[in-house]
């Protein structure tokens, strides 16, 4: 990328602060770099269209499903494109389970050089085919390293949280304790894993506030586009599927366009309810679909 403009980046937490002053909801869209065998031109065209919708920021994963697509640093490349070519603030996902301290330093330096100042600090999925390093065991370790470093402490740091508990946690209370530790290590904001029942989010938020977590939390919403997609995501994160959702899935699973539009309608209903109840942020898992992102914004844009 050669269109780098030396500008001061805006912290994600500052976006929340400004939106709160006018009682507005932060709206972000998550995208991922081109898959190994995908057309990069098509992906970048979709990313440019998504950036053109002017979300408050765009979250960039480490690859489809959160895995590295192999070769180079695709998260950095996409984040730089979004920031320096499209003019939208990116938040680069940064995993640590397979990274050494020097790997993390190199990545943070590269982000700084590309005028990117926000990261989502994650442990990352355990992959038996990838060597696990020992410098960072948990996301809280990564967060603490960034926040206490003279060189990197000015990064905006977001953490992940799980309304239904992390799949590896023994209990929901244990997961909440781990979340408090993560926040205390230096997170500015949080993003939830996807969920399909808003009451789960409201119950989670009550517990989060009761244990003293007072930073902004964005609700993760994914419009379903296929039965295979949702089965894969649920197997990874353990999200429950309410009866209303499964009925929709069963009715339209063999009609792709109908399921896509029904999924957008379901997500829209969730978002309207969340905004009406004062949610601080919406984090849309758009799966690189400009169509989905555009339709959702057409439905809820005036509420935002």
């Amino acid at each position: 990328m050669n269109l780098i403009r030396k500008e001061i980046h805006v912290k994600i937490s500052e976006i929340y602060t400004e939106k709160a002053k006018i009682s507005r909801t932060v709206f972000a869209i998550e995208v991922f770099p081109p898959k190994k065998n995908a057309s990069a031109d098509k992906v970048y065209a979709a990313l440019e269209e998504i950036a053109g919708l002017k979300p408050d920021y765009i979250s960039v994963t480490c690859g489809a499903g959160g895995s590295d697509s192999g070769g180079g640093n695709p998260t950095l490349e996409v984040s730089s494109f979004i920031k320096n070519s499209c003019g939208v603030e990116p938040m680069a996902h940064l995993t640590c389970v397979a990274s050494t301290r020097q790997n993390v330093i190199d990545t943070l330096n590269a982000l700084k050089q590309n005028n990117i100042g926000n990261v989502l600090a994650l442990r990352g999925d355990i992959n038996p085919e990838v060597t696990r390093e020992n410098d960072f065991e948990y996301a809280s370790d990564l967060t603490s390293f960034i926040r206490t470093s003279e060189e990197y402490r000015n990064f905006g740091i977001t953490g992940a949280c799980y309304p239904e508990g992390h799949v590896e946690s023994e209990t929901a209370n244990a997961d909440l304790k781990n979340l408090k530790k993560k926040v205390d290590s230096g997170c500015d904001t949080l993003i939830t894993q996807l969920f399909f029942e808003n009451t789960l989010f409201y119950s989670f938020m009550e517990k989060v506030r009761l244990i003293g977590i007072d930073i902004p939390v964005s609700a993760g919403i994914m419009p379903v586009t296929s039965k295979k997609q949702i089965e894969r995501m649920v197997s990874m994160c353990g999200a429950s599927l309410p009866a209303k959702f499964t009925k929709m899935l069963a009715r339209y699973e063999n009609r792709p366009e109908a399921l896509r539009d029904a999924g957008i309608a379901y997500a829209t209903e969730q978002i309207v309810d969340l905004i009406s109840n004062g949610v601080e942020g919406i984090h849309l898992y758009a799966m690189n679909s400009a169509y989905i992102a555009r339709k959702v914004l057409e439905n809820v844009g005036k509420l935002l």
Side-chain angles (χ1 to χ4, degrees), residues 287-303:
M287 304 302 290
N288 283 17
S289 171
Y291 177 88
I292 288 174
R294 185 174 65 254
K295 287 297 183 182
V296 169
L297 271 174
E298 285 175 359
N299 291 339
V300 304
K302 286 187 170 57
L303 302 181

Side-chain angles (χ1 to χ4, degrees), residues 31-34 44 47 60 74-83:
V31 301
F32 53 80
Y44 273 92
L47 297 179
V60 185
T75 303
L76 170 65
E77 292 164 10
V78 169
S79 297
S80 182
F81 173 76
I82 289 168
K83 171 70 176 183

Side-chain angles (χ1 to χ4, degrees), residues 227-258:
K227 184 177 180 181
K228 182 178 179 181
Q229 170 211 30
I230 206 62
E231 287 175 344
R232 180 175 65 84
M233 293 304 299
V234 167
S235 69
M236 290 173 62
C237 70
S240 59
L241 303 180
K244 182 179 178 180
F245 184 89
T246 56
K247 287 177 181 177
M248 178 193 75
L249 199 61
R251 184 173 181 84
Y252 301 116
E253 63 177 298
N254 296 317
R255 297 166 56 193
E257 290 186 356

Side-chain angles (χ1 to χ4, degrees), residues 35-283:
K35 296 179 183 179
K36 195 170 185 179
N37 299 318
S39 167
D41 289 343
K42 288 184 178 179
V43 171
Y44 273 92
L47 297 179
E48 187 170 22
E49 188 174 347
I50 289 171
L53 298 172
K54 296 300 177 184
D56 291 303
Y57 68 92
I58 294 178
S59 170
V60 185
T61 77
C62 300
S67 60
D68 192 345
S69 59
N73 190 331
T75 303
L76 170 65
E77 292 164 10
V78 169
S79 297
S80 182
F81 173 76
I82 289 168
K83 171 70 176 183
N84 301 302
S85 295
C86 301
V88 176
E89 202 67 44
M91 179 178 69
H93 291 210
L94 179 62
T95 60
C96 63
V97 67
S99 297
T100 63
R101 184 175 181 276
Q102 189 60 50
N103 293 149
V104 169
I105 288 171
D106 291 343
T107 299
L108 292 171
N109 285 338
L111 290 170
K112 286 182 67 175
Q113 289 166 8
N114 282 268
N115 198 25
I116 298 162
N118 292 285
V119 296
L120 175 60
L122 302 163
R123 184 198 67 178
D125 296 331
I126 305 297
N127 186 339
E129 297 180 5
V130 177
T131 301
R132 183 171 182 175
E133 300 292 345
N134 299 315
D135 289 347
F136 306 98
E137 186 173 3
Y138 301 111
S140 56
D141 299 325
L142 174 61
T143 301
S144 179
F145 169 74
I146 299 171
R147 185 60 73 219
T148 58
S149 167
E150 184 70 31
E151 185 72 17
Y152 310 116
R153 65 176 55 176
N154 289 327
F155 267 86
I157 307 174
T158 295
C161 57
Y162 307 86
E164 300 179 70
H166 193 284
V167 291
E168 295 178 25
S169 279
E170 293 183 4
T171 66
N173 283 338
D175 192 51
L176 282 170
K177 288 180 181 179
N178 288 332
L179 179 61
K180 183 66 164 65
K181 179 181 178 182
K182 186 190 300 185
V183 171
D184 289 346
S185 70
C187 288
D188 303 310
T189 65
L190 294 169
I191 294 171
T192 77
Q193 180 57 271
L194 59 89
F195 59 90
F196 299 100
E197 176 55 67
N198 286 3
T199 56
L200 294 170
F201 175 79
Y202 299 139
S203 175
F204 172 73
M205 287 303 300
E206 287 181 6
K207 295 171 185 174
V208 161
R209 297 314 187 203
L210 280 172
I211 63 171
I213 295 175
D214 59 2
I215 61 176
V217 180
S218 269
I221 301 297
M222 175 182 281
V224 61
T225 57
S226 73
K227 184 177 180 181
K228 182 178 179 181
Q229 170 211 30
I230 206 62
E231 287 175 344
R232 180 175 65 84
M233 293 304 299
V234 167
S235 69
M236 290 173 62
C237 70
S240 59
L241 303 180
K244 182 179 178 180
F245 184 89
T246 56
K247 287 177 181 177
M248 178 193 75
L249 199 61
R251 184 173 181 84
Y252 301 116
E253 63 177 298
N254 296 317
R255 297 166 56 193
E257 290 186 356
L259 180 58
R260 177 197 62 193
D261 289 347
I264 291 171
Y266 190 97
T268 296
E269 185 177 342
Q270 279 191 273
I271 292 170
V272 170
D273 180 72
L274 288 162
I275 294 174
S276 299
N277 281 279
V279 72
E280 294 157 297
I282 298 293
H283 189 260

